[in-house]
Amino acid sequence: MRPTLEERLQRKIESLTIVRAVRMVAFVAFVLALIAAFVEWAVDPGIGSLRESLWWAITTVTTVGYGDVVPTSDAGRLVASVLMLAGVSAIPITTSLVVSVFVARAQAQQRELDADERDELMARLERIERKLESALG
């Protein structure tokens, strides 16, 4: 039987590392920039070449925005607005999700350590109680 989407997502989350997380955030930014570059190149004749469009998209999604390449048409400005809003929302959301996975994983590990320590303390207390009962009684 094929694993469900939830099961596949859970496996991906469990295998998440810092390197994979950084790659994922960079991938989201790159995909946003790539899509915007193609759309911008298609709708704005003033943007120039596809190469310039990609440069514009990367500087826009990273909020650097040098201003050397800018949209000149209303449609181009609309694409730029969407890219800017997506860049300042999608990338932080992705980053927040990744951080929450790491925090949840750390909390689960801490709970396991706490439970192990609590079990050890309970075992010690039981041994002490048995010794006290045998000594007193």
Side-chain angles (χ1 to χ4, degrees), residues 18-32:
I18 295 289
V19 172
R20 286 185 181 145
V22 169
R23 272 193 232 145
M24 185 171 66
V25 172
F27 179 76
V28 168
F30 180 73
V31 168
L32 283 171

Side-chain angles (χ1 to χ4, degrees), residues 88-114:
V88 299
S89 61
I91 295 169
I93 287 170
T94 305
T95 304
S96 298
L97 288 172
V98 167
V99 168
S100 70
V101 166
F102 287 129
V103 167
R105 190 181 299 161
Q107 287 175 337
Q109 289 172 346
Q110 187 61 50
R111 277 192 299 274
E112 284 180 30
L113 290 172
D114 291 347

Side-chain angles (χ1 to χ4, degrees), residues 6-113:
E6 184 179 344
E7 291 168 339
R8 288 184 297 191
L9 185 59
Q10 186 63 34
R11 266 191 256 126
K12 287 284 187 188
I13 288 171
E14 288 169 0
S15 67
L16 192 63
T17 63
I18 295 289
V19 172
R20 286 185 181 145
V22 169
R23 272 193 232 145
M24 185 171 66
V25 172
F27 179 76
V28 168
F30 180 73
V31 168
L32 283 171
L34 193 61
I35 291 169
F38 278 108
V39 173
E40 186 72 23
W41 180 62
V43 301
D44 195 336
I47 204 72
S49 68
L50 182 58
R51 189 173 152 209
E52 285 181 333
S53 179
L54 187 56
W55 170 252
W56 163 82
I58 289 171
T59 60
T60 301
V61 80
T62 59
T63 68
V64 173
Y66 290 118
D68 55 344
V69 179
V70 294
T72 58
S73 69
D74 289 341
R77 289 186 181 116
L78 178 63
V79 172
S81 299
V82 169
L83 178 60
M84 286 182 253
L85 292 173
V88 299
S89 61
I91 295 169
I93 287 170
T94 305
T95 304
S96 298
L97 288 172
V98 167
V99 168
S100 70
V101 166
F102 287 129
V103 167
R105 190 181 299 161
Q107 287 175 337
Q109 289 172 346
Q110 187 61 50
R111 277 192 299 274
E112 284 180 30
L113 290 172

